Amino acid sequence: MVKVAFFDAKDYDEKSFEKYNGKNGIKIKFFETKLTLDTVSLTKGFDAVCIFVNDEVGPEVIDRLCELGIKLIALRCAGYNNVDVKYAYKKIRVVRVPAYSPYAVAEHAMALLLTSIRRIHKSYIRTRDFNFSLSGLTGFEIHGKTVGVVGTGKIGRIFIDICKGFGAKIIAYDKYPADIEGVEYVDLDTLWERSDIISFHCPLTEENHHMVSEESIKKMKKGVVIINTSRGGLIDSEALLNGLKDRKIGAACLDVYEEEASFFFKDFSGHIVNDDILARLISLPNVIISSHQAFLTDEALENIANTTIDNINKCFAGEKCDNEVCYTC
Ligand code: NAI
């Protein structure tokens, strides 16, 4: 049996993985805690770890995992910016789930956008209180607007198709531009200058950390709507907050936040949140935050479990795994 220590386990994870537990040579133990330097010793006696977006796997954790005999880090997500894959190279294998449901994320991005620009979040609260006033609920249409998409991979392309359905004009920036019908690739400055709506669908890397900054916000259109369902670190949150306060940014739709690891996936409703930027962002009427839930559909959870189990099986059978993360490839 391959023994898997499963970190940051939530009820929906246990539900989707439980059916594989104890079968096909895999035994899973679920831990609620995240994998960090403080918790790495829990992996003693296991063969593999299964982690998610906010587990912290830097060099020290990788060294400890190796000492404890862990042979595989199985990410049950697409992004792997929380694992030092360069350091892990030739020490421990790293696999991921490159696509569990790009539709889930792209549809969530559009859900956030429509909620924001048609003020659904406001009207929902009002009508529950029998307040049927329309004052302050004027929205705007996506039809005819220019949507700037940063990252035209799996999720970005689906988001583009959805926006095309609304009659938007699409411009895009990608480090590796493709040939997509109806999409005009532009450089980043042009994207900032021309977009009415900007949506991020690229991975977080060292080079694009804080690509939304004080400087780039200056180049954007007044009233621009920013959607981030990718990774929080793409946006300098303080610069975003200032842009919103200055009325330069019209609205922000965020499924990710750069300091999310301290808060997201937990209930802080009875606590004082010690992050003034997050608290201020949440207080603004034109900011919608969901807590990294874009992936959370039945279909995606099923795909995540299937692919993760398959990745683990392949690695321990000594087979080639197409979902292996290799920084040299
Ligand atoms: P993908 O790998 O199919 O596409 C990423 C695209 O970004 C590629 O076309 C690539 O060339 C481009 N890219 C790479 N570096 C870039 C840069 N510096 N600037 C601009 N473009 C760049 O990935 P996929 O599946 O579309 O996912 C995109 C991102 O969405 C993931 O990296 C992850 O961070 C995020 N994500 C968020 C989820 C959520 O629940 N909020 C769930 C799944 C993914």
Side-chain angles (χ1 to χ4, degrees):
M1 280 270 178
V2 177
K3 283 178 266 157
V4 181
F6 191 109
F7 285 88
D8 206 6
K10 299 288 181 280
D11 52 357
Y12 49 82
D13 291 315
E14 293 197 30
K15 207 171 142 206
S16 55
F17 277 83
E18 197 49 55
K19 65 172 177 275
Y20 300 101
N21 204 357
K23 297 182 190 106
N24 297 325
I26 291 183
K27 181 86 194 125
I28 303 169
K29 178 158 183 186
F30 297 98
F31 293 100
E32 267 183 46
T33 182
K34 285 199 277 274
L35 176 60
T36 64
L37 194 54
D38 292 333
T39 61
V40 67
S41 54
L42 289 170
T43 64
K44 191 167 178 217
F46 288 88
D47 307 296
V49 292
C50 182
I51 62 165
F52 198 50
V53 293
N54 289 323
D55 295 280
E56 298 161 13
V57 188
E60 283 177 290
V61 170
I62 291 169
D63 283 342
R64 283 291 290 141
L65 288 173
C66 292
E67 281 163 29
L68 290 162
I70 298 293
K71 293 174 191 66
L72 179 70
I73 298 169
L75 284 144
R76 53 182 191 281
C77 53
Y80 48 87
N81 54 290
N82 53 330
V83 178
D84 191 331
V85 287
K86 191 169 177 183
Y87 192 79
Y89 184 60
K90 290 198 169 160
K91 294 187 182 75
I92 190 164
R93 291 175 81 177
V94 182
V95 290
R96 67 178 182 132
V97 183
Y100 30 94
S101 176
Y103 297 99
V105 183
E107 288 176 15
H108 191 80
M110 181 49 81
L112 289 175
L113 175 62
L114 283 173
T115 302
S116 171
I117 66 175
R118 301 308 301 269
R119 320 279 187 253
I120 307 295
H121 55 310
K122 294 277 153 201
S123 58
Y124 174 76
I125 291 166
R126 276 192 200 179
T127 54
R128 286 178 74 81
D129 201 25
F130 300 97
N131 174 356
F132 302 112
S133 157
L134 294 184
S135 178
L137 298 185
T138 310
F140 70 83
E141 294 163 21
I142 298 172
H143 181 89
K145 298 294 182 302
T146 299
V147 177
V149 176
V150 181
T152 55
K154 290 177 284 296
I155 297 170
R157 284 174 201 222
I158 295 165
F159 185 72
I160 286 171
D161 284 345
I162 296 172
C163 290
K164 279 184 186 164
F166 279 79
K169 175 173 175 39
I170 313 293
I171 59 174
Y173 169 78
D174 195 293
K175 225 179 140 185
Y176 308 99
D179 188 11
I180 308 173
E181 202 189 320
V183 175
E184 180 192 352
Y185 278 95
V186 294
D187 60 35
L188 263 185
D189 279 352
T190 308
L191 188 136
W192 304 144
E193 283 157 22
R194 283 176 46 193
S195 302
D196 299 299
I197 295 158
I198 301 174
S199 194
F200 291 92
H201 301 290
C202 59
L204 173 65
T205 61
E206 270 171 31
E207 67 181 310
N208 66 13
H209 179 251
H210 283 184
M211 71 196 304
V212 173
S213 61
E214 221 170 277
E215 202 188 326
S216 57
I217 291 170
K218 274 189 202 142
K219 297 173 186 160
M220 293 178 194
K221 270 191 183 176
K222 187 171 162 54
V224 63
V225 178
I226 294 180
I227 310 162
N228 190 6
T229 55
S230 197
R231 284 294 179 268
L234 295 172
I235 296 182
D236 175 345
S237 312
E238 199 170 352
L240 178 77
L241 178 60
N242 290 334
L244 285 155
K245 282 174 20 190
D246 293 345
R247 278 62 171 176
K248 178 76 193 269
I249 298 171
C253 306
L254 309 174
D255 187 52
V256 287
Y257 172 65
E258 58 180 334
E259 301 301 331
E260 69 177 52
S262 312
F263 303 102
F264 282 17
F265 310 132
K266 283 177 263 171
D267 181 1
F268 278 88
S269 54
H271 300 261
I272 292 167
V273 165
N274 285 328
D275 183 324
D276 288 354
I277 294 180
L278 179 62
R280 187 73 175 100
L281 282 170
I282 288 172
S283 78
L284 298 179
N286 50 351
V287 174
I288 297 182
I289 297 186
S290 54
S291 39
H292 209 135
Q293 81 175 68
F295 74 98
L296 196 60
T297 62
D298 290 334
E299 294 83 353
L301 290 173
E302 182 64 31
N303 289 339
I304 287 171
N306 270 332
T307 309
T308 303
I309 296 295
D310 190 52
N311 287 345
I312 295 171
N313 276 332
K314 283 200 171 114
C315 287
F316 281 91
E319 289 172 26
K320 181 176 178 294
C321 178
D322 290 337
N323 297 329
E324 185 147 8
V325 182
C326 164
Y327 94 101
T328 58
C329 307

